[in-house]
Amino acid sequence: MFRKEKLIEICKKNKWRLTEPRLEVMRIISLSKKPIKAYDILKKLANKIKNPKPPTAYRAIEFWQKHNLIHRIESLNAYKACSQVHKHNGAQFLICNECGKVIEFIQHDLPSIFKETSQKSTFKPLRWNLEINGICNQCS
């Protein structure tokens, strides 16, 4: 859920530059019931900022994603606010094929099978997403 005061506090604490477009993009993403696409963010951004250009939205999205406060749902090409305010390198999502609801669940560490495989392959994972499609309880 969008809490402007909390975002301001986090940005000040970490010395991140907080701009009005960045704040507005986070508000739009946070208030969206489902993951939202970049061009839909841009359309909504036009309600608050006069004639915003695509780079305005994309830079704000990149800022929040870089700081792990939003996630990109790869299979939907859309963005969702992180349900947890913490630093993490991985995210997992349950995606309902019927209603489009996305539930973030928390697994802070890369599952051991992936760790073992990456170590054997001399590969160092930096970020990871796991998306599981299915049917939520409300739709089944």
Side-chain angles (χ1 to χ4, degrees):
M1 189 67 176
F2 178 77
R3 290 188 15 228
K4 182 178 179 177
E5 299 78 24
K6 183 68 174 171
L7 287 175
I8 291 170
E9 177 187 322
I10 289 169
C11 288
K12 280 184 180 179
K13 177 183 166 196
N14 291 291
K15 296 183 172 107
W16 300 337
R17 186 170 168 258
L18 184 59
T19 63
E20 195 57 38
R22 287 177 178 173
L23 199 54
E24 186 59 24
V25 164
M26 179 56 100
R27 187 186 73 76
I28 291 166
I29 294 170
S30 294
L31 296 177
S32 181
K33 294 190 187 316
K34 295 180 183 174
I36 185 169
K37 295 182 179 283
Y39 270 91
D40 293 328
I41 294 168
L42 185 62
K43 287 178 195 172
K44 290 180 182 272
L45 192 57
N47 295 332
K48 291 282 188 170
I49 297 172
K50 186 180 176 185
N51 198 23
K53 304 286 185 232
T56 303
Y58 281 108
R59 283 185 197 120
I61 290 167
E62 185 179 282
F63 173 82
W64 294 118
Q65 192 175 13
K66 173 184 168 187
H67 297 301
N68 297 314
L69 295 174
I70 66 171
H71 298 292
R72 182 171 190 267
I73 310 299
E74 302 289 337
S75 62
L76 302 175
N77 193 25
Y79 300 90
K80 179 185 185 329
C82 181
S83 64
Q84 306 294 312
V85 180
H86 63 274
K87 179 105 171 121
H88 53 83
N89 295 327
Q92 309 84 52
F93 306 99
L94 303 174
I95 304 169
C96 180
N97 292 340
E98 297 292 320
C99 69
K101 179 180 179 180
V102 175
I103 302 164
E104 179 180 356
F105 65 98
I106 301 162
Q107 169 70 37
H108 293 287
D109 295 318
L110 191 62
S112 59
I113 188 70
F114 296 117
K115 279 184 185 177
E116 292 166 16
T117 302
S118 63
Q119 287 171 350
K120 288 178 190 174
S121 303
T122 62
F123 180 82
K124 181 182 177 185
L126 300 175
R127 261 185 1 146
W128 54 281
N129 287 346
L130 174 63
E131 299 178 16
I132 302 172
N133 292 76
I135 308 292
C136 73
N137 288 344
Q138 294 171 339
C139 293
S140 60

